[in-house]
Structure formats: C-alpha cells, structure tokens
Amino acid sequence: MSASSFSLTLLSKTLKHSPPKIPILNLHAITPKTQLKFNPIFKPSSLNLFLTTQNLKPRSKSHCYSPIRSLFTGIVEEMGEIKQLGTAEHGGFDMKIHAKTVLEDVNLGDSIAINGTCLTVTEFDTQLSEFTVGLSPETLRKTSLIELVPGSFVNLERALKPSTRMGGHFVQGHVDGTGEIVALEPEGDSLWVKVRTAPELLKYIVPKGFIAVDGTSLTVVDVFDEEECFNFMLVAYTQRKVVIPLKKVGQKVNLEVDILGKYVERLLSSGFVDSLKSS
C-alpha cells in the first residue's frame, strides 16, 4: 500500500469514526520507498475517492466572499518537504513540513501559504526545522493537498507584512479550485505549462492577467475557451524555485484567480452599475 493511499484511507476512517488517542503517524516507517521528486497521479483522483468514501458532495457555491485575514504576494520563499501526514491526538489530520526560511520568525498561529493554501501553524521546532499545520475536510475537498505524500515538495510563503515589498500580486491563500496539467513543453531554457480547469474558474482568467498556481504568482499568456485551458511560461530561475516543474501531466495544481474579477462580477450582478445610471 502506498503512503498516499494509506494516508487517505486513514483519513476516511478518522472522519467516519471517533479516532483513538494515538500520536502523529510517521509514514516513513511504513513506506520506505517514498518518491522524493514527483507526486503520484491518482486514478481515480484521491479527491474524488475521498468524497465517495465519505458520501460527501462538494458544497454548493456561495456568493459570500471570505474576509481577508492574511495576504500573500505569490512570491515563493522556499520549497519545503513533507515529513509526516496522519491523525493527531486531537483527532484531526496534521501535516508536518521541513523548512528553514519560513521558520526564521515564526510564531504559533501564524499563517503560511502551502501550495497557495493559507494554513495556520499549530506547532514548530526551530531546532529540527519543522512546523505542523492542520487540514480540515473542506481544505482537502477544495485543494490538491490530499495528493501529497511524505517526501513531496511544497511551495511556502509567509503572510505579508506592511514593510514587505509587493513583488507579485494580491494573493489571499483562499484556493478557488484545482486545475489539471495537460501539457509541459520546454522552449529553450523556459517551460510552457498548460492547465485545464472548470469553466466557472476560467471565466476569471484573462490573457496577461494574474493567477496564483500552487501559490506562485504568474502571468497568463493565453486562454483557450474551447479547451477550457490556459497557459503560462516559467523561466529557468522560477523553475528552480517552485514545485510546478516537479509535477507530471495529469497532476493537479491549486488555483486562485485574481480577486479583482470577483469584485467586478459582484458589483455588476448587484445592480450597482444600473443604480449609478439611474441616479
């Protein structure tokens, strides 16, 4: 049994039954042949399997937007490595990550974007260079984090400070959904990446616009409405700093569209423009 399947099966039982009081599981001890570079491709996807085994359906879409509690730039600070995945004593599902840069000034309760998902630090050990975050069922439903296994690499970024330079764009860490990598094509020392996503997300994606892919601030090159795809290019430097090039065709990436498009849609649907015209 693979580490990812074991984690998923264990998580399903945890959500269905009250778990015993056990320490965080070290999956390294169970599966020594962990892949360190590439995440597995799930067929069927682990997200669908998780929803099926739990008899859970994706929640209906809401027009309510979450308040901004933390803000990120989409400029990845470092890649961390997943060390442990499993149930914790409190009954939740925890993820322990090895990192250095993001721990330099860490405090309990801090927000760190992990592959673009804003999560809260619940434990940390600066001597071991590790920190722990908790994952809720909704986070697993909404993101590609459920595909991670020990040894997987993830993008990490600390929340923005008032004194921080704004190098990317405004990223909330609220993943809107996932996309599937459909093509990886090198051109010189750069890499073209093509991603397919749902129409309800694609409508917010525009050529030359911003998008966060696994928490990385990127510029969209083209949008292919008929294929329900968009693409972007990674230069050589970026390829060395983020996890996207480590993934294979068929794997998922977290997507967060530019929030400005959502606000414009909200204003138009509320009749705000019509009220201005009539005034």
Side-chain angles (χ1 to χ4, degrees):
M1 179 181 293
S2 68
S4 58
S5 299
F6 179 83
S7 297
L8 181 58
T9 302
L10 183 59
L11 176 58
S12 296
K13 293 180 180 179
T14 300
L15 295 177
K16 203 169 184 178
H17 303 288
S18 179
K21 299 291 186 177
I22 58 176
I24 296 176
L25 296 179
N26 185 346
L27 299 187
H28 280 300
I30 297 174
T31 307
K33 296 181 179 180
T34 300
Q35 296 296 323
L36 294 180
K37 291 189 176 180
F38 300 107
N39 299 330
I41 302 175
F42 294 83
K43 295 183 179 180
S45 74
S46 57
L47 180 60
N48 290 333
L49 181 59
F50 170 73
L51 295 176
T52 301
T53 54
Q54 293 303 308
N55 293 319
L56 297 174
K57 296 181 179 179
R59 297 184 179 180
S60 59
K61 296 186 181 298
S62 171
H63 292 290
C64 297
Y65 297 101
S66 302
I68 300 176
R69 297 178 180 175
S70 297
L71 199 62
F72 305 91
T73 67
I75 304 300
V76 176
E77 294 188 88
E78 68 173 320
M79 288 191 289
E81 182 182 352
I82 304 299
K83 303 302 292 186
Q84 290 182 358
L85 289 166
T87 53
E89 293 182 356
H90 53 72
F93 192 73
D94 280 356
M95 179 165 62
K96 182 175 289 187
I97 302 171
H98 175 78
K100 293 183 178 180
T101 302
V102 298
L103 295 182
E104 290 176 356
D105 55 357
V106 70
N107 293 291
L108 290 178
D110 280 358
S111 295
I112 294 180
I114 301 172
N115 276 1
T117 308
C118 180
L119 297 172
T120 302
V121 176
T122 58
E123 296 178 14
F124 68 90
D125 189 326
T126 54
Q127 297 297 318
L128 296 177
S129 298
E130 295 177 345
F131 71 96
T132 301
V133 295
L135 299 173
S136 69
E138 180 66 7
T139 299
L140 295 171
R141 272 190 294 261
K142 198 76 172 180
T143 72
S144 64
L145 296 182
I146 199 170
E147 294 187 350
L148 297 173
V149 298
S152 297
F153 291 100
V154 289
N155 292 330
L156 300 176
E157 182 191 355
R158 289 168 291 185
L160 188 66
K161 291 182 177 180
S163 59
T164 305
R165 294 180 64 181
M166 190 67 193
H169 73 283
F170 291 124
V171 178
Q172 297 182 85
H174 300 164
V175 175
D176 293 303
T178 58
E180 178 187 349
I181 298 175
V182 296
L184 295 167
E185 299 178 1
E187 181 179 346
D189 62 354
S190 297
L191 179 68
W192 283 100
V193 183
K194 192 173 186 178
V195 176
R196 180 187 297 116
T197 190
E200 53 264 31
L201 284 186
L202 196 65
K203 67 180 180 180
Y204 297 112
I205 303 173
V206 297
K208 306 302 182 287
F210 288 121
I211 189 166
V213 181
D214 275 346
T216 306
S217 176
L218 296 167
T219 301
V220 176
V221 177
D222 288 307
V223 177
F224 310 93
D225 290 313
E226 293 183 358
E227 303 176 50
E228 298 181 351
C229 294
F230 68 94
N231 68 357
F232 55 88
M233 179 174 274
L234 299 176
V235 298
Y237 177 83
T238 305
Q239 292 177 53
R240 296 192 296 268
K241 299 297 182 179
V242 302
V243 300
I244 299 171
L246 301 181
K247 294 190 173 183
K248 296 180 179 180
V249 170
Q251 288 190 267
K252 291 182 178 180
V253 289
N254 290 328
L255 301 177
E256 182 185 331
V257 299
D258 191 349
I259 193 174
L260 293 179
K262 296 180 185 178
Y263 283 130
V264 171
E265 181 186 54
R266 179 67 170 168
L267 286 173
L268 292 175
S269 62
S270 67
F272 175 76
V273 176
D274 293 334
S275 65
L276 290 178
K277 291 180 179 180
S278 61
S279 60

